Amino acid sequence: MHPADRDAARAPRVITSLQNEQVKFIRSLDMRKVRRETGLFSVEGAALIITARDSGWLPRTLIYAAGENQRPIVGGLVEWALAAGADCLEVTEAIIAKLASKENPQNVMAVFEQRWALPPLAVAEPADGTWLALEQVRDPGNLGTIIRTADAVGARGIMLIGASCDPYSPEAARATMGSIFNVPVARLDQPSFVQWLASWPGDVVGTHLSGTDDFRTVAYRSPTVLVMGSEGAGLSSELAAACTRLVKIPMAGRLDSLNLAVATALALYQIRGSHLRV
Ligand code: SAM
């Protein structure tokens, strides 16, 4: 290839039409079906993209509003994306507005390949590790918040059990604040999870409204799997039966349960307490 052609291939492409096929494709990543078929997802905002870069992810495509690349942060991301061989698209304000979320829209976005972890091999896990298992989580905002919390406490990863919402949806990925790039996420059906638990050497702690142990007073046996039920139905009887203990988060008011993400945060902070530092 002639050097001039190589430089052109590495330069951003300017796109001004909303009908551009690449623009339409990136927009279609809002749909779960398209994400499932392509294995891709998009995120918005320089902060999330920087987290991806610093965590070793490489973009497929970087999109930014014309002029944004004059800002050193975005200019640096364009350099990084071009060096990684990604497509860089310089688009109009109207196009980025169509691609971005309606609340708090950002002028830079990127497309990445999804990564799915395998359930951990118990023998390869650190003795004091903590995994989190979520049964049929429904709300992407809850899932994103939980991924962020799992990152905050240094959990080893998350297993999504059964039919769950998509951690790579725009809403979930946004709620992770970038932790989607740091926390391994695996998915498996309920029978496979119960089978996998048989090899787990430590505690399998289910949080349950009819648990009899106060979650603050239990001596958790490491490594630990924390199992949370779904927003509506709670923990299924099959998973409750597979836990080595069922704990309750005590309540004083008139409600019987906490929001899933709040309950997960309380339990994770209790289990991971000795690993946390100010
Ligand atoms: N109606 C559901 C039930 O009967 O469990 C409530 C589900 S709650 C919104 C979602 C999940 O958060 C529960 O399955 C459980 O894992 C956890 N959770 C919420 N509040 C809890 C509490 N007070 N004690 C133990 N777990 C709780």
Side-chain angles (χ1 to χ4, degrees):
M1 195 190 282
H2 189 277
D5 293 339
R6 202 164 44 234
D7 284 350
R10 289 191 63 248
R13 281 195 300 125
V14 175
I15 296 180
T16 55
S17 168
L18 276 167
Q19 299 313 315
N20 176 279
E21 287 305 320
Q22 229 171 335
V23 169
K24 287 201 267 185
F25 172 69
I26 293 164
R27 202 165 169 219
S28 73
L29 288 174
D30 277 1
M31 287 184 275
R32 186 170 194 172
K33 178 173 174 287
V34 178
R35 290 194 302 276
R36 193 184 299 126
E37 285 168 1
T38 61
L40 300 174
F41 71 111
S42 64
V43 294
E44 256 183 83
L48 263 71
I49 301 170
I50 286 169
T51 303
R53 182 194 65 192
D54 295 350
S55 308
W57 291 55
L58 295 175
R60 279 284 196 94
T61 312
L62 187 81
I63 310 109
Y64 61 93
E68 280 294 301
N69 54 331
Q70 300 307 314
R71 292 202 293 133
I73 286 179
V74 178
L77 289 176
V78 173
E79 284 295 310
W80 160 70
L82 287 172
D87 275 343
C88 282
L89 311 180
E90 182 174 300
V91 301
T92 60
E93 295 273 341
I95 292 177
I96 202 92
K98 263 280 190 262
L99 294 175
S101 60
K102 297 302 159 243
E103 327 82 52
N104 195 20
Q106 304 285 316
N107 276 337
V108 55
M109 301 177 64
V111 175
F112 293 93
E113 276 172 40
Q114 300 169 20
R115 291 184 190 172
W116 292 97
L118 291 172
L121 273 180
V123 286
E125 280 300 294
D128 60 355
T130 304
W131 275 81
L132 177 61
L134 305 173
E135 185 176 28
Q136 299 201 346
V137 54
R138 295 284 185 225
D139 182 301
N142 273 346
L143 179 53
T145 303
I146 290 170
I147 292 172
R148 182 178 180 183
T149 307
D151 196 6
V153 300
R156 299 273 301 158
I158 296 178
M159 286 175 274
L160 300 178
I161 315 303
S164 297
C165 62
D166 182 5
Y168 290 108
S169 69
E171 188 183 349
R174 187 166 49 246
T176 73
M177 293 298 286
S179 295
I180 188 67
F181 297 110
N182 287 324
V183 177
V185 180
R187 52 188 169 177
L188 60 172
D189 60 26
Q190 193 203 66
S192 308
F193 177 63
V194 172
Q195 200 181 359
W196 173 86
L197 281 178
S199 67
W200 189 253
D203 254 341
V204 180
V205 180
T207 54
H208 202 287
L209 303 195
S210 42
T212 45
D213 290 340
D214 182 330
F215 84 118
R216 298 168 299 179
T217 61
V218 168
Y220 297 100
R221 199 160 44 88
S222 294
T224 313
V225 179
L226 172 66
V227 190
M228 306 297 299
S230 73
E231 290 95 337
L235 203 59
S236 65
S237 50
E238 291 87 347
L239 282 201
C243 292
T244 53
R245 61 171 87 238
L246 293 178
V247 298
K248 170 103 197 243
I249 303 169
M251 313 267 293
R254 296 173 63 170
L255 296 172
D256 65 350
S257 72
L258 291 162
N259 160 275
L260 171 62
V262 172
T264 307
L266 288 171
L268 278 178
Y269 268 81
Q270 186 67 33
I271 292 170
R272 301 287 303 161
S274 63
H275 297 84
L276 308 176
R277 56 194 182 281
V278 175

